[in-house]
Amino acid sequence: MPTSTAFDVSRRGMIAGGVATAATATVPIAADAKPQSAPASAEPRLPVTLKVNGKSNRVELDPRTTLLDALREHWKLTGTKKGCDHGQCGACTVIVEGRRINSCLTLAVMHDGDEVTTIEGLGKPGDLHPMQAAFVRHDGYQCGYCTPGQICSAVAVLDEIKDGIPSHVTADVAAAPGFSIEEVKERMSGNLCRCGAYANIFDAIAEVAGEAKGSRA
């Protein structure tokens, strides 16, 4: 049977050896250590020119900047709302080159030179766009957060129908689509109103389209 002395010596030797090894291994590394990372270089920027609400401006943007963030953070146009930031609620809808898009799903650099219309560009207090005025008359909002996107989308929807662009519910894609509740519901389906003001929103759109009477039937 081994004596306790032999065991103690072995254990102490092992501990001492381990400490010495750790110290020996640590000091040279610390002495020769280099900075973990070089100083951060400036983030890349690209020049982007947008004609927003009739005024053309050029800014230097991180190429990863969405059109939504560019409008809100660089153009200071906060009427365009950030809702889900995933293209599901439509609160960020703006009109680009005459067509509505979710500004959270597209990069600003992709629209260099484009004309952009936000809710601020449609009308102003005292000089409202007909769609803005109709939303007010018909109470087409409750909390109002999604309203800028709803109005931009509604304006573009009427232009789509006027231009003969079919939707998923257009029965004859070769014929010019007409105004109907089915067409408006389908085309506005990308704009979600959690308050449930859909009926009033439709009435506002119908009024601007000149289809106010009996259009819900």
Side-chain angles (χ1 to χ4, degrees), residues 3 42 53 67 77 82 92-93 96-98 116 124 134 142 149 151 156 192 198 205 215:
T3 64
N53 299 331
L67 178 59
L77 295 172
K82 179 177 284 191
C92 66
T93 303
V96 178
E97 294 292 300
V116 181
K124 298 179 180 178
Q142 289 185 30
I151 292 176
L192 300 180
Y198 296 120
I205 297 173
S215 52

Side-chain angles (χ1 to χ4, degrees), residues 132-153:
Q132 291 172 313
F135 266 63
V136 172
R137 278 193 295 275
H138 291 276
D139 194 18
Y141 50 83
Q142 289 185 30
C143 84
Y145 191 81
C146 69
T147 303
Q150 295 270 8
I151 292 176
C152 285
S153 193

Side-chain angles (χ1 to χ4, degrees), residues 2-151:
T3 64
S4 60
T5 301
F7 177 77
D8 290 343
V9 170
S10 176
R11 186 180 64 180
R12 284 197 295 272
M14 180 178 297
I15 293 173
V19 170
T21 301
T24 303
T26 301
V27 172
I29 291 176
D32 296 334
K34 297 180 181 178
Q36 293 183 350
S37 61
S41 58
E43 293 181 351
R45 291 287 188 274
L46 291 177
V48 178
T49 300
L50 296 178
K51 188 175 183 180
V52 182
N53 299 331
K55 295 182 179 179
S56 185
N57 283 299
R58 179 178 181 273
V59 295
E60 301 283 334
L61 293 177
D62 183 317
R64 298 165 295 184
T65 304
T66 65
L67 178 59
L68 171 61
D69 287 338
L71 293 171
R72 289 180 58 86
E73 305 298 332
H74 297 274
W75 267 265
K76 305 303 180 185
L77 295 172
T78 55
T80 304
K81 303 303 183 187
K82 179 177 284 191
C84 66
D85 211 18
H86 287 76
Q88 298 177 348
C89 73
C92 66
T93 303
V94 297
I95 302 171
V96 178
E97 294 292 300
R99 299 295 178 223
R100 57 200 171 113
I101 65 171
N102 291 327
S103 59
C104 74
L105 292 183
T106 188
L107 300 175
V109 295
M110 297 167 61
H111 299 283
D112 186 37
D114 283 356
E115 185 168 356
V116 181
T117 301
T118 69
I119 190 67
E120 293 93 339
L122 289 177
K124 298 179 180 178
D127 185 23
L128 296 178
H129 184 280
M131 191 65 77
Q132 291 172 313
F135 266 63
V136 172
R137 278 193 295 275
H138 291 276
D139 194 18
Y141 50 83
Q142 289 185 30
C143 84
Y145 191 81
C146 69
T147 303
Q150 295 270 8
I151 292 176

